Amino acid sequence: MTDPNAIQPSELDQLPDRDPEETAEWQASLDAVTEAAGPHRAAYLMRRTLERAEGAGIALPKLLETDYVNSIPTAAEPAVPGDEAMEQRITAWNRWNAAAMVTRGSKYGVGGHIATFASAAWLYETGFNHFFKGKEADGSGDQLYIQGHASPGIYARAFLDGRLTEEQLDNFRREAGGNGLPSYPHPRRLPWLWEFPTVSMGLGPLSAIYQARFNRYLTNRGIKDTSASHVWAFLGDGEMDEPESTAALALAAREELDNLTFVINCNLQRLDGPVRANFKIVQELEAQFRGAGWNVIKTLWGTAWDELFRLDTTGALVRRLRQVPDAQIQTYQTRDAAYIRQDFFGADPALVELAKLLSDDKILECFHFSRGGHEARKVYAAYKAAVEHKGAPTVILAQTVKGHTLGEGFASKNANHQMKKLTVDEFKNMRDLLGLPIKDSDFVDGVVPYGHPGADSPEVRYLQERRAALGGPAPARRVHPVAPLPAPAQKAFTAFDKGSGSQNVATTMAFVRLVKDLVRDKETGKRWVPIVPDEARTFGMESLFPSLGIYSPKGQTYEPVDRDQLMYYKEARNGQILNEGITEAGSMADFIAASTSYATHGETMIPFYIFYSMFGWQRTADQMWQLGDQLGRGFLVGATAGRTTLTGEGLQHADGHSPVIAATNPAALTYDPAFAYEVAVIVKDGLRRMYGEAAPGEDQNVFYYLTVYNEPLPQPAKPSVDGIDEGIVKGLYRFNTAESAGITPPANAPRIQLLGSGTAIHWALKAQRLLAEEWGVAADVWSATSWSELRRDALEADEALLRGEERVPFVRQALQGAEGPVLAVSDYMRQVPDQIAQWVEQDWSSLGADGFGLSDTREAARRHFGVDAESIVVAALAQLAGRGEVKATAVKEARAKYGL
């Protein structure tokens, strides 16, 4: 008897059932199929029904996984245009030369990777022959993010095309002589070929997403029509484990970036073994991408499998393919037909019967060779479907064999990523497999020869004709001649020359105010790209919201809650600000795309990315290297900088080291300005150097890192000192002397030089007064705007001396004749000012905020680290006492007086 108080199934559903009888009929039908045909048939029908519903636009949760088969059935594959036999020969030459290049280089011990390109060759060749648009195509051409370990194959194709010589191939990974090839895609090392550095795993996919998005940004803002450009990112299935690889999938789907395609080479192997030994990486990635809203195309099996699928009338084959883990798939690749019959087909009676219809050769063909990623027809179908899909980005999951065509010693072996050469016999077997006209006599002294059919051969003519039809060579980087941007009006830069009077202004606010003026410039204002990771209000940037707008491809589909306020939250399709949410990595990817637009699109953009300084270099330093590698230009701004300035936030927000990390990057010009007028001078010079008329010998492909503070203080007027702008740019100038500061020290008073950067200069100025008034010491105060630029100049001077050239470092020139010792202080660890110690002729000492941060008031934190004005006084007296210029007891007296 049914319990009338029991909860009925329909009551468990939040949605009311308007027709329980009809629902029961559907459920009964499912039960009947399960009973009559088995649960596998029932599951099949349910999947097909869900797919039909999705295709009809019925609002249902998406099916996250499909069967382990190709998304595009053989019957639906379009014919590949062109000459497939010719493309087969071209690919064979490229396979050979890629392997030969790495093998020939192995005698120098420089390494290289063979197996990756061997697995992915058709993924690239199909694109180069039919899809990838060159720089002479409409718009800017396509952007190709090449998998780093596949670079030998790209070099091999450039060699076949006549863009590289044998000598250059022989100098793979040997660049010191000036005619070599970098290991991986690297624009700074080979700027005519590579656009994007990709071998820092995970940064390629992240950057590709934001590049596709930036392309749309340029179009929507009316800067350039990039609608014909497509972004292709070639990735490894193991690489997808990196958190950056999948960090922005939802963004790409949310903004409907159908100008983006990921091609993931699923050879099921990472560096040391299987990607998912006990699982299936393809299924995992399919669910991940489908769940994020991407269009997913699986290209798993070659045409040899068609017969097996036709014979699979019970679905047993498809079920077995879903069951077998990836590591076992790899094992089948290396075992004989008997093993495969027993282990794979023997798991199901229906498969035992199916296997009886297959010859051993057929089984080996399927399990050893036939993968979707190895057939031009399969790859072409996937690419064509990807570029024609609208409303979402596409990921192609292409299954391949790592080491394909390299022989039994390579294919699917766990160690093949570290295997750097083939033997002569292995090359001869490879030659026979590929059908290449290379004679045994061509192997002179056991050295494998490069192969080339001739500059006027049908293969080369075909390759060049295909590239010409698609807009020229690829990959390729082009920097089209662009007129230098005109300098903005001088008024914006001189606004702080008179100081702020009694008004307190933080240097963070000074920078924002400067940019607010610069974006109004009629000539260059539209080229600024403000980037902020959801902290715009923290940095006082909300005033830019209404005037510039926040970029959104959807515009603003709602009425903002603060619409009646002056600084309301305004989103716009042509918005200028990229407000990224809480993602420093995404913001950096934005910055990289914008900072290299001068090359990618021939459109100069001026990005500035402002962030909590603690969460910039510490969190995304790898992307800063990527930025330098890609020859990006722009302004990184570390706001709320310093270890003692951001009170209350404590250890996790206390940046005492970002200038140290930044100093390791050769492309970064790092500045720690103390005053608003210094910020203006630095930005002005940065615009000149990166976007205007650079001086002879100056590298334009640099970026600026400025640290600015959230400590509101009166901004002084710019001193009338000769050469002050040069000193600010080069890193050091004397802000005042004891006398010019209005302090009258005793006659013959001992003198010391206080060097301070950023907010620390205010402590030095207070110490200057205490030293004079309480200890009879004269102190001159210097603003060290860039410790690292001083060091860089000094290193260049040292190098010049080794060449026999006489050159004095700027820091030595600036301090020449300055009396007394030098005491340097900053709001960073002592290592920051100590960068220049060896080039300072005077006695040197420094103070800094070493150690972990803590939560307290600014005053207490500075006393804790020993960098406040009183601590500076004690350190100065100690230096002078050591020289016998003040009494030794003065140090002890000062400590007692100030409670240190």
Side-chain angles (χ1 to χ4, degrees), residues 771-811:
L771 283 166
E773 295 176 352
E774 300 183 5
W775 304 98
V777 173
D780 301 336
V781 175
W782 299 70
S783 179
T785 52
S786 179
W787 308 101
S788 62
E789 283 304 291
L790 292 172
R791 175 180 175 80
R792 184 169 289 163
D793 170 80
L795 289 172
E796 291 172 359
D798 285 355
E799 292 171 5
L801 284 173
L802 292 176
R803 296 191 300 267
E805 303 171 17
E806 288 293 330
R807 180 175 162 190
V808 179
F810 178 79
V811 63

Side-chain angles (χ1 to χ4, degrees), residues 674-675 677-678 716-722 724 728 732-745 751-756 760-772 777-784 814-815 818-819 821 823:
F675 306 122
Y677 66 81
E678 293 178 352
K718 185 178 182 180
S720 298
V721 178
D722 289 341
I724 186 172
I728 291 172
L732 183 67
Y733 70 96
R734 184 159 54 191
F735 176 73
N736 69 17
T737 63
E739 292 76 13
S740 66
I743 301 169
T744 307
R751 187 172 289 268
I752 190 168
Q753 308 300 316
L754 302 180
L755 277 58
I761 202 169
H762 297 282
W763 321 331
L765 289 169
K766 181 179 177 182
Q768 178 188 48
R769 188 165 296 278
L770 292 175
L771 283 166
V777 173
D780 301 336
V781 175
W782 299 70
S783 179
L815 290 170
E819 298 178 35
L823 174 60

Side-chain angles (χ1 to χ4, degrees), residues 78-84 87 129-131 380 384 462 466:
V80 180
D83 187 334
E84 290 190 55
E87 292 175 17
N129 288 327
H130 301 287
F131 291 93
Y380 181 88
K384 188 172 188 294
Y462 181 89
R466 291 305 309 140

Side-chain angles (χ1 to χ4, degrees), residues 641-647 709-711 713 759-760 762-763 827 848-849 854 856-869 871 900:
R643 183 148 278 165
T644 70
T645 304
L646 188 58
T647 58
Y709 299 83
N710 69 328
E711 187 170 13
L713 292 164
T759 196
H762 297 282
W763 321 331
D827 203 15
L854 76 167
D856 212 310
T857 64
R858 290 179 179 135
E859 293 76 14
R862 287 162 188 168
R863 176 58 57 92
H864 169 80
F865 287 111
V867 293
D868 61 352
S871 298
L900 296 177

